[in-house]
Amino acid sequence: MRRLFNGLVDLLFPPRCIACMNVLTDDDRPPFCRPCLAAIRFVRSPLCTRCGAPFEGTGEDHLCGDCLSAPPAFTIARSVARYESAPLTSIHRFKYGGKTAVGKALGRFMARHPAPGLRIEAYTLVIPVPLHVGRLREREFNQALILAGELARPARRPVDAVSLTRRRGTDPQVRLGRDERRKNIRGAFAVTRPDRIAGRKILLVDDVYTTGSTVGECARVLMDHQAEAVAVLTLARA
């Protein structure tokens, strides 16, 4: 009966690529069609062993200049793909178009395409980067929480969306430089349940890694409350 119902749904509302919206065929691999999937550049070596910044060309993984001069609070950061083509389009549909079903599909996509050097099972707690309450009311959902929920489910890891909070709003980061971003975000996050953080290996989840200012500040606050380690996983790398 369920197969019949699902077949009827697919007939009336055929599954579509979450990037280009073309109807998926039997040869496609959801949530993307073959052309969109082929255009995705997954983040692979060579890259920075700390922040995951991809290097051009070939060679060994090594620390980038930023991580050598000012090591971030997190132990490792990785992204699944570069913030372009299908990932960029689908994240915009999810984040700014309110398409939460697209977000769930992206979370499952993250779970199926592990980033190099990072195993979700190695961490005991998954925490999404929190939104300020004003932004949450405006958007009506936290994109990082949706991604984290889908990502953590196959690994059977708990998601904690309350122990790390954003206690003040900040200016939009998109037009700010690296140093301005760090100053803008400083002191924006707080731990409300230190007992849930101390001694835990935490995987911090967000949609896009740009300069690392936001996740770096989150990691600093978590480490200040005796987290054993903090890793960062994002869907895309700008």
Side-chain angles (χ1 to χ4, degrees):
M1 195 68 182
R2 179 176 296 178
R3 289 182 180 178
L4 180 62
F5 176 77
N6 290 339
L8 182 60
V9 169
D10 287 346
L11 182 64
L12 297 174
F13 306 100
R16 295 177 179 273
C17 171
I18 63 172
C20 70
M21 294 301 295
N22 285 337
V23 174
L24 295 176
T25 69
D26 292 339
D27 294 330
D28 293 324
R29 296 182 62 185
F32 298 108
C33 64
R34 278 193 300 172
C36 284
L37 184 61
I40 295 175
R41 288 199 295 167
F42 291 93
V43 177
R44 296 290 183 264
S45 296
L47 46 75
C48 174
T49 52
R50 188 71 170 265
C51 75
F55 302 126
E56 298 301 327
T58 59
E60 298 294 324
D61 293 349
H62 58 86
L63 286 171
C64 69
D66 287 338
C67 289
L68 281 170
S69 60
F74 51 76
T75 53
I76 185 174
R78 292 291 184 268
S79 302
V80 174
R82 301 200 186 206
Y83 191 41
E84 60 189 21
S85 65
L88 186 152
T89 304
S90 53
I91 287 173
H92 275 239
R93 291 191 65 233
F94 166 38
K95 192 171 178 179
Y96 305 114
K99 305 295 184 182
T100 55
V102 171
K104 291 180 179 181
L106 288 171
R108 293 190 291 271
F109 180 77
M110 290 176 70
R112 291 198 303 270
H113 294 83
L118 193 153
R119 290 180 58 254
I120 300 170
E121 294 79 6
Y123 299 89
T124 54
L125 189 64
V126 178
I127 294 183
V129 170
L131 286 180
H132 185 259
V133 64
R135 185 65 58 83
L136 185 59
R137 287 172 182 163
E138 178 185 316
R139 190 172 293 164
E140 299 184 343
F141 63 91
N142 179 356
Q143 72 277 359
L145 176 57
I146 291 175
L147 292 174
E150 296 299 322
L151 183 66
R153 186 173 293 113
R156 297 182 179 180
R157 292 295 181 267
V159 176
D160 184 340
V162 297
S163 293
L164 180 68
T165 62
R166 193 162 190 155
R167 61 185 176 186
R168 67 172 176 84
T170 55
D171 294 331
Q173 298 267 81
V174 66
R175 294 184 179 86
L176 302 180
R178 183 182 298 273
D179 291 339
E180 292 174 310
R181 285 173 180 246
R182 287 174 179 166
K183 292 177 182 177
N184 184 47
I185 207 71
R186 188 77 176 184
F189 300 97
V191 168
T192 60
R193 291 291 305 272
D195 57 303
R196 295 185 181 180
I197 302 302
R200 307 296 291 274
K201 291 184 177 180
I202 295 169
L203 181 63
L204 194 63
V205 176
D206 206 0
D207 56 343
V208 181
Y209 186 113
T210 306
T211 65
S213 300
T214 299
V215 292
E217 178 66 8
C218 288
R220 185 190 68 80
V221 171
L222 292 167
M223 291 300 292
D224 283 349
H225 285 81
Q226 285 74 54
E228 182 178 339
V230 178
V232 176
L233 180 60
T234 64
L235 172 60
R237 175 90 188 204

